[in-house]
Amino acid sequence: MTEFSQKQERIRQLLEQNRLDALLLQRVSSFAWATCGAADYVNTASTYGTASLLITKKQHYLITNNIEAPRLENEEKLKYQGWEFHVTPWHAENNPLDTLTKGLKLGADSLYPGAKDLSNEIARLRAMLTPEEGVRMRVLGRLCAEAMDHAIRAVRPGWTEHQIAAHISLENRSRGVHPIVNLVATDERISAFRHPLPTYKSLERYAMLVVCGRRWGLVCSLSRLVHFGKLPDELRRKADAVARVDAAYIHATRPGRTVGQVLQYGLNAYSSVGFADEWKLHHQGGAAGYEPREFLARITSPEVIMMGQAYAWNPSITGAKSEDTIQVGEDQNEVVTSIAGWPMIEVEIEGQTYARPAILEQ
Protein backbone atom coordinates (compact mmCIF):
# COMPACT_ATOMS: atom_id res chain seq x y z
CA MET A 1 0.00 0.00 0.00
CA THR A 2 1.11 3.55 -0.66
CA GLU A 3 1.50 5.95 2.26
CA PHE A 4 -1.70 7.72 1.23
CA SER A 5 -3.80 4.58 0.85
CA GLN A 6 -2.48 3.24 4.15
CA LYS A 7 -3.64 6.38 5.95
CA GLN A 8 -7.03 6.27 4.24
CA GLU A 9 -7.40 2.69 5.42
CA ARG A 10 -6.49 3.65 9.00
CA ILE A 11 -9.07 6.42 8.91
CA ARG A 12 -11.79 4.09 7.68
CA GLN A 13 -10.90 1.56 10.38
CA LEU A 14 -11.30 4.36 12.91
CA LEU A 15 -14.71 5.17 11.48
CA GLU A 16 -15.74 1.53 11.68
CA GLN A 17 -14.58 1.21 15.28
CA ASN A 18 -16.61 4.27 16.28
CA ARG A 19 -19.62 3.48 14.07
CA LEU A 20 -19.28 6.75 12.21
CA ASP A 21 -19.86 7.73 8.59
CA ALA A 22 -17.22 10.42 8.10
CA LEU A 23 -14.17 12.09 9.64
CA LEU A 24 -13.51 15.84 9.57
CA LEU A 25 -9.89 17.04 9.84
CA GLN A 26 -9.27 20.75 10.44
CA ARG A 27 -5.98 20.93 12.34
CA VAL A 28 -2.83 21.92 10.44
CA SER A 29 -1.11 18.80 11.80
CA SER A 30 -3.93 16.50 10.69
CA PHE A 31 -4.07 18.07 7.23
CA ALA A 32 -0.33 17.50 6.75
CA TRP A 33 -0.60 13.94 8.01
CA ALA A 34 -3.56 12.93 5.83
CA THR A 35 -2.07 14.53 2.70
CA CYS A 36 1.42 13.07 3.24
CA GLY A 37 3.09 16.40 3.96
CA ALA A 38 1.03 19.20 2.39
CA ALA A 39 0.65 22.60 4.11
CA ASP A 40 -2.65 24.44 4.41
CA TYR A 41 -1.66 27.17 6.87
CA VAL A 42 -1.17 30.88 6.28
CA ASN A 43 -1.01 32.07 9.87
CA THR A 44 1.75 29.90 11.29
CA ALA A 45 0.56 30.56 14.84
CA SER A 46 -2.85 29.01 14.18
CA THR A 47 -3.83 25.47 15.10
CA TYR A 48 -6.31 25.40 12.24
CA GLY A 49 -5.56 25.83 8.55
CA THR A 50 -7.32 27.32 5.56
CA ALA A 51 -8.74 24.02 4.32
CA SER A 52 -10.66 21.10 5.78
CA LEU A 53 -10.61 17.43 4.86
CA LEU A 54 -13.68 15.21 4.98
CA ILE A 55 -13.20 11.46 4.59
CA THR A 56 -16.15 9.12 4.22
CA LYS A 57 -16.08 5.36 3.72
CA LYS A 58 -15.95 5.82 -0.06
CA GLN A 59 -14.74 9.36 -0.80
CA HIS A 60 -12.39 12.07 0.39
CA TYR A 61 -13.10 15.79 0.02
CA LEU A 62 -11.05 18.96 0.39
CA ILE A 63 -13.00 22.09 1.32
CA THR A 64 -11.37 25.51 0.93
CA ASN A 65 -11.85 28.95 -0.61
CA ASN A 66 -10.83 30.45 -3.96
CA ILE A 67 -7.72 32.06 -2.43
CA GLU A 68 -6.14 28.79 -1.30
CA ALA A 69 -7.40 26.35 -3.91
CA PRO A 70 -4.89 27.19 -6.71
CA ARG A 71 -1.85 26.56 -4.49
CA LEU A 72 -3.28 23.41 -2.96
CA GLU A 73 -4.03 22.10 -6.43
CA ASN A 74 -0.95 23.22 -8.38
CA GLU A 75 1.84 23.21 -5.80
CA GLU A 76 0.67 20.68 -3.25
CA LYS A 77 -0.76 18.48 -6.05
CA LEU A 78 -3.75 17.44 -3.97
CA LYS A 79 -6.13 16.92 -6.89
CA TYR A 80 -3.58 14.50 -8.28
CA GLN A 81 -3.64 12.74 -4.90
CA GLY A 82 -7.35 12.19 -5.41
CA TRP A 83 -9.04 14.80 -3.23
CA GLU A 84 -12.34 16.10 -4.57
CA PHE A 85 -12.18 19.89 -4.25
CA HIS A 86 -15.13 21.93 -3.00
CA VAL A 87 -14.20 25.59 -3.48
CA THR A 88 -16.23 28.59 -2.37
CA PRO A 89 -15.60 32.33 -2.87
CA TRP A 90 -13.74 33.74 0.13
CA HIS A 91 -16.65 36.10 0.79
CA ALA A 92 -19.38 33.41 0.65
CA GLU A 93 -21.34 32.80 3.82
CA ASN A 94 -22.45 29.26 3.04
CA ASN A 95 -20.30 26.36 4.20
CA PRO A 96 -20.06 23.29 1.91
CA LEU A 97 -19.53 21.16 5.01
CA ASP A 98 -23.16 21.66 5.94
CA THR A 99 -24.23 19.94 2.72
CA LEU A 100 -21.48 17.30 2.63
CA THR A 101 -22.07 16.17 6.22
CA LYS A 102 -25.87 16.32 6.24
CA GLY A 103 -27.29 13.16 7.79
CA LEU A 104 -23.84 11.69 8.53
CA LYS A 105 -22.54 10.48 11.88
CA LEU A 106 -19.43 12.61 12.10
CA GLY A 107 -16.12 12.41 13.95
CA ALA A 108 -13.54 15.20 14.09
CA ASP A 109 -9.99 15.98 15.18
CA SER A 110 -11.28 18.90 17.26
CA LEU A 111 -14.51 20.21 18.71
CA TYR A 112 -17.11 20.58 15.96
CA PRO A 113 -20.88 20.91 16.36
CA GLY A 114 -22.56 17.51 16.26
CA ALA A 115 -19.30 15.58 15.80
CA LYS A 116 -17.65 13.06 18.10
CA ASP A 117 -14.30 14.37 19.37
CA LEU A 118 -11.62 11.93 18.16
CA SER A 119 -8.66 14.24 18.74
CA ASN A 120 -6.83 11.78 21.00
CA GLU A 121 -7.36 8.85 18.62
CA ILE A 122 -6.15 10.89 15.64
CA ALA A 123 -3.06 12.08 17.50
CA ARG A 124 -2.15 8.44 18.02
CA LEU A 125 -2.65 7.74 14.32
CA ARG A 126 -0.35 10.64 13.48
CA ALA A 127 2.27 9.14 15.78
CA MET A 128 2.28 5.83 13.85
CA LEU A 129 4.84 6.84 11.24
CA THR A 130 4.96 5.03 7.92
CA PRO A 131 8.35 4.08 6.40
CA GLU A 132 8.04 7.09 4.07
CA GLU A 133 7.45 9.38 7.02
CA GLY A 134 10.41 7.81 8.79
CA VAL A 135 12.66 8.80 5.90
CA ARG A 136 11.35 12.37 5.99
CA MET A 137 11.78 12.51 9.77
CA ARG A 138 15.43 11.52 9.48
CA VAL A 139 16.05 14.21 6.85
CA LEU A 140 14.29 16.76 9.02
CA GLY A 141 16.35 15.71 12.04
CA ARG A 142 19.58 16.24 10.12
CA LEU A 143 18.46 19.69 8.96
CA CYS A 144 17.43 20.74 12.47
CA ALA A 145 20.73 19.49 13.89
CA GLU A 146 22.74 21.39 11.27
CA ALA A 147 20.76 24.55 11.98
CA MET A 148 21.26 24.23 15.74
CA ASP A 149 24.98 23.56 15.34
CA HIS A 150 25.52 26.65 13.18
CA ALA A 151 23.33 28.84 15.36
CA ILE A 152 24.75 27.96 18.77
CA ARG A 153 28.39 28.07 17.68
CA ALA A 154 27.85 31.60 16.38
CA VAL A 155 26.43 32.88 19.69
CA ARG A 156 28.61 35.32 21.60
CA PRO A 157 28.41 37.06 24.99
CA GLY A 158 26.57 40.34 24.63
CA TRP A 159 23.96 38.99 22.23
CA THR A 160 20.40 39.47 23.40
CA GLU A 161 18.09 36.48 23.57
CA HIS A 162 16.11 38.02 20.71
CA GLN A 163 19.26 38.10 18.58
CA ILE A 164 19.97 34.46 19.41
CA ALA A 165 16.40 33.50 18.53
CA ALA A 166 16.68 35.39 15.24
CA HIS A 167 19.84 33.44 14.39
CA ILE A 168 18.11 30.16 15.19
CA SER A 169 15.27 31.15 12.89
CA LEU A 170 17.66 32.16 10.10
CA GLU A 171 19.56 28.87 10.19
CA ASN A 172 16.37 26.81 10.17
CA ARG A 173 14.48 28.84 7.58
CA SER A 174 17.45 28.80 5.21
CA ARG A 175 17.18 24.99 5.28
CA GLY A 176 13.45 25.00 4.61
CA VAL A 177 12.55 24.29 8.23
CA HIS A 178 10.03 26.38 10.17
CA PRO A 179 11.01 26.76 13.85
CA ILE A 180 7.53 26.56 15.38
CA VAL A 181 9.07 26.57 18.88
CA ASN A 182 12.06 28.88 19.37
CA LEU A 183 13.02 29.25 23.04
CA VAL A 184 16.11 30.97 24.41
CA ALA A 185 17.32 31.54 27.96
CA THR A 186 20.58 32.97 29.20
CA ASP A 187 22.32 32.75 32.56
CA GLU A 188 19.89 32.80 35.52
CA ARG A 189 16.81 32.52 33.26
CA ILE A 190 17.80 28.92 32.43
CA SER A 191 17.16 27.90 36.04
CA ALA A 192 14.13 30.14 36.46
CA PHE A 193 11.98 29.03 33.52
CA ARG A 194 11.40 25.71 31.73
CA HIS A 195 9.76 27.45 28.73
CA PRO A 196 11.79 30.66 28.33
CA LEU A 197 10.47 32.98 25.64
CA PRO A 198 13.33 35.18 24.35
CA THR A 199 13.79 38.61 25.94
CA TYR A 200 16.13 41.59 25.55
CA LYS A 201 18.44 40.16 28.22
CA SER A 202 22.06 39.96 27.07
CA LEU A 203 24.09 36.77 27.34
CA GLU A 204 26.86 36.80 29.93
CA ARG A 205 28.16 33.22 30.18
CA TYR A 206 25.47 30.57 29.71
CA ALA A 207 22.79 30.04 27.04
CA MET A 208 20.14 27.40 26.28
CA LEU A 209 18.64 27.09 22.80
CA VAL A 210 15.48 25.03 22.21
CA VAL A 211 13.94 24.36 18.79
CA CYS A 212 11.01 22.41 17.39
CA GLY A 213 11.42 22.50 13.62
CA ARG A 214 8.66 21.65 11.14
CA ARG A 215 8.89 20.48 7.51
CA TRP A 216 6.44 18.33 5.53
CA GLY A 217 4.23 18.77 8.60
CA LEU A 218 6.57 16.63 10.72
CA VAL A 219 8.26 18.12 13.80
CA CYS A 220 11.70 17.42 15.32
CA SER A 221 12.77 18.76 18.72
CA LEU A 222 16.21 19.36 20.24
CA SER A 223 17.94 21.49 22.88
CA ARG A 224 21.58 22.47 23.29
CA LEU A 225 23.49 24.56 25.83
CA VAL A 226 26.69 26.59 25.60
CA HIS A 227 28.86 28.04 28.38
CA PHE A 228 31.60 30.64 27.99
CA GLY A 229 34.48 30.09 30.39
CA LYS A 230 35.06 27.30 32.91
CA LEU A 231 31.94 25.27 33.63
CA PRO A 232 31.05 25.37 37.36
CA ASP A 233 31.34 22.00 39.10
CA GLU A 234 27.68 22.01 40.20
CA LEU A 235 26.48 22.68 36.66
CA ARG A 236 28.72 19.92 35.31
CA ARG A 237 27.24 17.52 37.87
CA LYS A 238 23.71 18.41 36.80
CA ALA A 239 24.57 18.07 33.10
CA ASP A 240 26.00 14.62 33.73
CA ALA A 241 22.95 13.62 35.76
CA VAL A 242 20.40 14.78 33.18
CA ALA A 243 22.37 12.99 30.46
CA ARG A 244 21.99 9.77 32.43
CA VAL A 245 18.25 10.29 32.75
CA ASP A 246 17.96 10.97 29.02
CA ALA A 247 19.96 7.84 28.23
CA ALA A 248 17.58 5.86 30.45
CA TYR A 249 14.58 7.12 28.48
CA ILE A 250 16.20 6.24 25.17
CA HIS A 251 17.22 2.81 26.44
CA ALA A 252 13.70 2.04 27.62
CA THR A 253 11.91 3.24 24.49
CA ARG A 254 11.61 -0.12 22.79
CA PRO A 255 8.80 -1.90 20.92
CA GLY A 256 6.30 -3.64 23.16
CA ARG A 257 6.75 -1.41 26.20
CA THR A 258 4.08 1.06 27.16
CA VAL A 259 4.84 4.77 27.30
CA GLY A 260 3.94 4.68 30.99
CA GLN A 261 6.59 2.02 31.62
CA VAL A 262 9.21 4.14 29.85
CA LEU A 263 8.30 7.16 31.96
CA GLN A 264 8.65 5.13 35.14
CA TYR A 265 12.08 3.94 33.98
CA GLY A 266 13.10 7.58 33.57
CA LEU A 267 11.72 8.58 36.97
CA ASN A 268 13.77 5.80 38.55
CA ALA A 269 16.83 7.27 36.83
CA TYR A 270 16.09 10.68 38.35
CA SER A 271 16.20 9.06 41.78
CA SER A 272 19.39 7.15 41.04
CA VAL A 273 21.28 10.35 40.10
CA GLY A 274 20.12 12.20 43.20
CA PHE A 275 17.39 14.46 41.76
CA ALA A 276 14.25 12.47 42.55
CA ASP A 277 11.71 15.30 42.33
CA GLU A 278 13.00 17.32 39.37
CA TRP A 279 10.67 15.54 36.93
CA LYS A 280 7.73 17.23 38.65
CA LEU A 281 8.88 20.64 37.36
CA HIS A 282 8.41 19.88 33.66
CA HIS A 283 6.85 17.23 31.42
CA GLN A 284 9.26 14.58 30.17
CA GLY A 285 8.24 14.47 26.50
CA GLY A 286 6.46 11.83 24.48
CA ALA A 287 5.61 10.74 20.95
CA ALA A 288 6.63 13.03 18.11
CA GLY A 289 4.96 13.33 14.73
CA TYR A 290 2.98 16.23 13.34
CA GLU A 291 2.91 18.05 16.67
CA PRO A 292 5.98 18.67 18.87
CA ARG A 293 4.41 15.99 21.08
CA GLU A 294 1.43 14.05 19.80
CA PHE A 295 0.83 13.06 23.41
CA LEU A 296 2.78 13.50 26.63
CA ALA A 297 4.01 10.55 28.64
CA ARG A 298 2.22 9.89 31.91
CA ILE A 299 2.56 7.06 34.42
CA THR A 300 -0.78 5.66 33.26
CA SER A 301 -0.08 6.03 29.51
CA PRO A 302 -1.21 2.74 27.89
CA GLU A 303 0.18 3.40 24.39
CA VAL A 304 2.49 0.63 23.20
CA ILE A 305 5.71 1.73 21.52
CA MET A 306 5.99 0.56 17.93
CA MET A 307 8.93 0.28 15.58
CA GLY A 308 9.37 3.33 13.36
CA GLN A 309 7.77 5.75 15.78
CA ALA A 310 9.56 8.93 16.84
CA TYR A 311 9.91 10.07 20.45
CA ALA A 312 11.33 13.26 21.93
CA TRP A 313 12.28 13.02 25.60
CA ASN A 314 13.33 16.22 27.37
CA PRO A 315 14.44 15.57 30.94
CA SER A 316 15.63 18.61 32.87
CA ILE A 317 17.35 19.30 36.17
CA THR A 318 17.20 22.94 37.21
CA GLY A 319 19.89 24.65 35.12
CA ALA A 320 20.47 21.74 32.73
CA LYS A 321 18.50 19.88 30.05
CA SER A 322 18.92 17.11 27.49
CA GLU A 323 16.66 16.74 24.44
CA ASP A 324 16.80 15.02 21.07
CA THR A 325 14.36 13.28 18.75
CA ILE A 326 14.82 9.55 18.34
CA GLN A 327 13.37 6.99 15.98
CA VAL A 328 12.61 3.49 17.23
CA GLY A 329 14.55 0.92 15.22
CA GLU A 330 14.46 -2.85 15.02
CA ASP A 331 17.66 -3.41 16.98
CA GLN A 332 18.32 0.01 18.50
CA ASN A 333 17.07 3.58 18.44
CA GLU A 334 18.48 6.25 16.17
CA VAL A 335 19.02 9.81 17.39
CA VAL A 336 17.92 11.72 14.29
CA THR A 337 18.95 15.14 15.67
CA SER A 338 22.52 14.21 16.64
CA ILE A 339 25.18 16.84 15.88
CA ALA A 340 28.52 15.62 14.52
CA GLY A 341 31.46 16.89 16.53
CA TRP A 342 29.39 17.90 19.56
CA PRO A 343 30.95 17.08 22.98
CA MET A 344 29.21 14.05 24.41
CA ILE A 345 28.67 12.27 27.73
CA GLU A 346 28.79 8.49 27.45
CA VAL A 347 26.34 6.54 29.60
CA GLU A 348 26.37 2.74 29.92
CA ILE A 349 23.11 0.94 30.68
CA GLU A 350 22.85 -2.85 30.73
CA GLY A 351 25.87 -3.27 28.49
CA GLN A 352 24.82 -0.61 25.97
CA THR A 353 26.50 2.77 25.61
CA TYR A 354 24.51 5.92 24.91
CA ALA A 355 26.15 9.20 23.95
CA ARG A 356 24.21 12.24 25.14
CA PRO A 357 25.10 15.90 24.46
CA ALA A 358 27.23 17.73 27.02
CA ILE A 359 27.26 21.49 27.54
CA LEU A 360 29.45 23.10 24.87
CA GLU A 361 32.32 24.96 26.53
CA GLN A 362 33.62 27.94 24.56
Side-chain angles (χ1 to χ4, degrees):
M1 298 176 70
T2 66
E3 178 185 352
F4 179 74
S5 62
Q6 187 173 350
K7 289 176 178 178
Q8 289 288 308
E9 179 61 25
R10 289 178 181 175
I11 289 171
R12 291 182 172 116
Q13 288 176 1
L14 181 65
L15 293 176
E16 187 70 27
Q17 292 164 6
N18 288 274
R19 298 181 179 180
L20 298 171
D21 301 315
L23 177 67
L24 176 64
L25 301 178
Q26 294 188 301
R27 298 176 68 96
V28 168
S29 54
S30 298
F31 186 95
W33 169 73
T35 59
C36 307
D40 74 324
Y41 57 84
V42 173
N43 177 357
T44 58
S46 177
T47 299
Y48 303 99
T50 59
S52 300
L53 302 175
L54 181 69
I55 300 99
T56 69
K57 295 177 181 178
K58 295 184 178 180
Q59 185 57 280
H60 44 279
Y61 306 97
L62 188 154
I63 302 95
T64 191
N65 60 48
N66 64 304
I67 302 173
E68 310 305 329
R71 190 187 65 81
L72 294 174
E73 178 180 351
N74 298 312
E75 289 193 338
E76 300 290 2
K77 309 294 185 186
L78 294 184
K79 270 197 175 179
Y80 175 79
Q81 199 174 66
W83 296 95
E84 181 180 309
F85 276 51
H86 286 255
V87 182
T88 58
W90 67 267
H91 52 83
E93 295 184 5
N94 64 305
N95 186 348
L97 277 172
D98 294 338
T99 301
L100 290 171
T101 61
K102 187 175 181 179
L104 299 180
K105 294 179 181 178
L106 186 65
D109 66 344
S110 56
L111 296 178
Y112 186 82
K116 182 176 181 178
D117 182 6
L118 296 176
S119 53
N120 290 334
E121 291 84 347
I122 294 164
R124 281 148 183 78
L125 287 183
R126 292 195 304 257
M128 294 172 57
L129 302 185
T130 65
E132 295 89 344
E133 288 170 308
V135 171
R136 295 199 292 272
M137 183 67 87
R138 286 192 291 276
V139 173
L140 173 59
R142 175 178 56 79
L143 294 173
C144 289
E146 288 177 358
M148 173 64 82
D149 193 31
H150 281 74
I152 199 168
R153 290 184 187 275
V155 168
R156 292 293 179 268
W159 283 26
T160 69
E161 292 172 352
H162 284 309
Q163 287 176 300
I164 296 171
H167 206 65
I168 295 170
S169 183
L170 171 65
E171 292 293 345
N172 277 277
R173 294 296 272 179
S174 67
R175 291 168 172 79
V177 176
H178 178 212
I180 59 174
V181 175
N182 186 346
L183 304 178
V184 178
T186 58
D187 307 304
E188 70 279 359
R189 291 191 74 237
I190 299 174
S191 295
F193 309 110
R194 259 27 182 213
H195 287 159
L197 299 179
T199 70
Y200 284 106
K201 184 195 173 302
S202 295
L203 166 64
E204 297 172 27
R205 286 186 174 274
Y206 189 31
M208 179 177 70
L209 284 63
V210 180
V211 175
C212 298
R214 180 172 67 189
R215 185 170 178 176
W216 305 297
L218 294 166
V219 182
C220 270
S221 305
L222 73 159
S223 297
R224 292 295 185 272
L225 299 100
V226 59
H227 190 277
F228 294 86
K230 179 176 171 52
L231 195 66
D233 290 341
E234 178 63 11
L235 188 52
R236 192 181 300 278
R237 183 173 80 90
K238 288 183 174 181
D240 180 79
V242 79
R244 294 180 182 281
V245 175
D246 198 11
Y249 277 125
I250 295 172
H251 178 75
T253 309
R254 298 300 299 149
R257 286 201 177 102
T258 68
V259 172
Q261 288 172 331
V262 176
L263 180 60
Q264 186 60 62
Y265 197 92
L267 302 192
N268 294 342
Y270 271 105
S271 295
S272 70
V273 298
F275 294 94
D277 293 327
E278 283 283 328
W279 68 272
K280 297 177 182 178
L281 302 178
H282 190 253
H283 73 75
Q284 299 299 294
Y290 290 82
E291 300 280 357
R293 304 294 186 274
E294 293 290 5
F295 53 86
L296 294 177
R298 304 184 188 282
I299 295 295
T300 55
S301 295
E303 296 85 3
V304 176
I305 292 164
M306 302 175 65
M307 197 171 69
Q309 283 189 306
Y311 283 83
W313 302 109
N314 46 259
S316 59
I317 294 172
T318 303
K321 182 183 181 183
S322 186
E323 178 182 22
D324 272 309
T325 302
I326 66 170
Q327 201 159 7
V328 180
E330 184 174 357
D331 299 316
Q332 60 184 2
N333 299 328
E334 177 186 358
V335 180
V336 300
T337 49
S338 62
I339 298 176
W342 191 269
M344 305 299 283
I345 298 170
E346 291 195 347
V347 180
E348 185 172 329
I349 303 176
E350 298 178 347
Q352 298 185 54
T353 301
Y354 299 87
R356 304 307 306 126
I359 297 171
L360 178 66
E361 298 179 63
Q362 295 279 61

